[in-house]
Amino acid sequence: MTPPRIDLHTHSRASDGTDSPRGVLEAAAAAGLDVVALTDHDTTAGWAEAAEAVAVTGVALVRGTEISTRVRTEGGSISVHLLSYLHAPDDEVLRAECDRTRTDRLSRARRMTDLLAEDFPVTWDDVVAQTGDGATVGRPHLADALVAAGVVGSRDEAFATVLHPGARYYVPHYAPDTVDAVRAVLGAGGVPVMAHPGAGARGRTVSEATIADLAAAGLAGLEVDHRDHDAEARDRLRGLTAELGLLATGSSDYHGTGKLNRIGENTTAPEVLAQIEERGRLDVIRP
Ligand code: AMP
Ligand code: ZN
Ligand code: FE
Ligand code: FE
């Protein structure tokens, strides 16, 4: 028997992916995956539909969320994405934080749209038209509206130009402090894993000392194998997981057609998933 293939980080239209939650499981099945985690940004809205698709697709589901957080530094902050696996969706503290982030993401998207509208033929209705019902709104939706308006040719081009944090149209959004978010995830019975810790192209990355502080606060793992990490970054991060006693995961960060990431392009070892399931409050939903 070949070992199960496990991808622990994907997005659906509940945030900024282009597939429905069911579509993510169908894509996972087509790619020969056995287990997939649905980890939409700051929401659990896609969980129910994904859970319903387990039996038909034969793909097991890990319910998760990618939580937007920030590490405060002198002279600013660093954006950190924290994956939470198998947490109770009704935990009040974690839910309140995610609600606050989603609400602020909405006003932030409107403000960015207003700024973009000063120079480009794009309106808030255009952005809404690109965003799934009740979805967590993000820059990818602004990018899609700009592509539809013919301002840029692709999401990638939008991110490299007008949506870049250095662009005059960029507005940050609220996000909880990373240590607080790790504690909130643990309080909700979840397993906190830092997403793409070495993805330097997205902006500044946190230091090893910060990762050690997060580990002391209860961080369970690092997403080592990810497309945004080169071989050197993966080696360094794998070394860090060994040093700090953390789990090492791997995943695609699939966004449907919105990014080049192919589902299943990086995977997580079955022993690591077993550890996550043992620590998490919810079970993996199996066919
Ligand atoms: P936001 O959280 O709204 O600031 O937007 C960040 C989101 O955009 C993350 O989910 C990324 O996965 C996504 N993203 C970052 N760079 C790109 C890119 N070049 N093309 C498409 N999506 C991207
Ligand atoms: Zn995303
Ligand atoms: Fe991320
Ligand atoms: Fe992601």
Side-chain angles (χ1 to χ4, degrees):
M1 237 182 71
T2 56
R5 297 189 62 234
I6 302 160
D7 183 343
L8 289 184
H9 182 169
T10 68
H11 297 269
S12 74
R13 286 181 62 78
S15 63
D16 54 7
T18 59
D19 293 353
S20 64
R22 181 196 171 104
V24 170
L25 269 77
E26 288 168 349
L33 286 167
D34 301 286
V35 184
V36 73
L38 183 69
T39 53
D40 279 305
H41 299 281
D42 309 305
T43 188
T44 59
W47 285 11
E49 184 187 318
E52 276 178 27
V54 167
V56 270
T57 56
V59 176
L61 173 69
V62 177
R63 288 165 285 178
T65 299
E66 184 173 18
I67 301 169
S68 312
T69 77
R70 249 178 247 295
V71 170
R72 268 79 188 170
T73 60
E74 309 102 66
S77 69
I78 301 174
S79 162
V80 169
H81 285 176
L82 186 68
L83 294 158
S84 174
Y85 296 115
L86 303 173
H87 56 275
D90 55 356
D91 177 84
E92 289 197 10
V93 174
L94 188 58
R95 227 172 110 136
E97 278 305 328
C98 288
D99 285 352
R100 181 171 174 192
T101 301
R102 283 203 316 277
T103 303
D104 196 60
R105 277 176 162 283
L106 191 60
S107 33
R108 173 256 202 159
R110 292 194 81 126
R111 275 155 67 209
M112 284 187 72
T113 305
D114 288 344
L115 291 170
L116 287 160
E118 291 173 7
D119 294 330
F120 306 108
V122 63
T123 66
W124 179 243
D125 283 349
D126 298 336
V127 176
V128 170
Q130 298 296 333
T131 310
D133 262 351
T136 303
V137 65
R139 282 181 289 159
H141 302 107
L142 300 179
D144 292 347
L146 291 163
V147 171
V151 174
V152 291
S154 66
R155 276 190 178 184
D156 267 345
E157 189 188 339
F159 271 88
T161 58
V162 293
L163 299 183
H164 191 273
R168 78 166 199 89
Y169 312 102
Y170 183 83
V171 176
H173 63 77
Y174 168 79
D177 173 80
T178 309
V179 169
D180 293 343
V182 164
R183 296 197 174 120
V185 167
L186 293 171
V191 185
V193 172
M194 192 175 166
H196 43 73
R202 293 167 185 248
R204 280 197 302 152
T205 56
V206 297
S207 66
E208 296 193 358
T210 298
I211 293 177
D213 290 346
L214 293 169
L219 183 73
L222 300 179
E223 188 179 55
V224 171
D225 290 307
H226 184 285
R227 141 181 312 247
D228 293 356
H229 298 157
D230 59 19
E232 192 193 320
R234 292 180 194 212
D235 285 348
R236 183 174 59 77
L237 291 166
R238 214 180 301 283
L240 203 53
T241 60
E243 232 173 84
L244 297 172
L246 297 172
L247 303 170
T249 67
S251 30
S252 66
D253 205 352
Y254 174 71
H255 280 70
T257 57
K259 283 176 107 175
L260 297 173
N261 310 33
R262 287 167 295 105
I263 198 162
E265 69 179 17
N266 287 294
T267 54
T268 296
E271 311 82 70
V272 171
L273 175 60
Q275 288 274 334
I276 290 172
E277 191 171 12
E278 196 179 302
R279 297 187 205 179
R281 184 165 304 168
L282 303 181
D283 289 332
V284 176
I285 301 176
R286 296 198 163 77

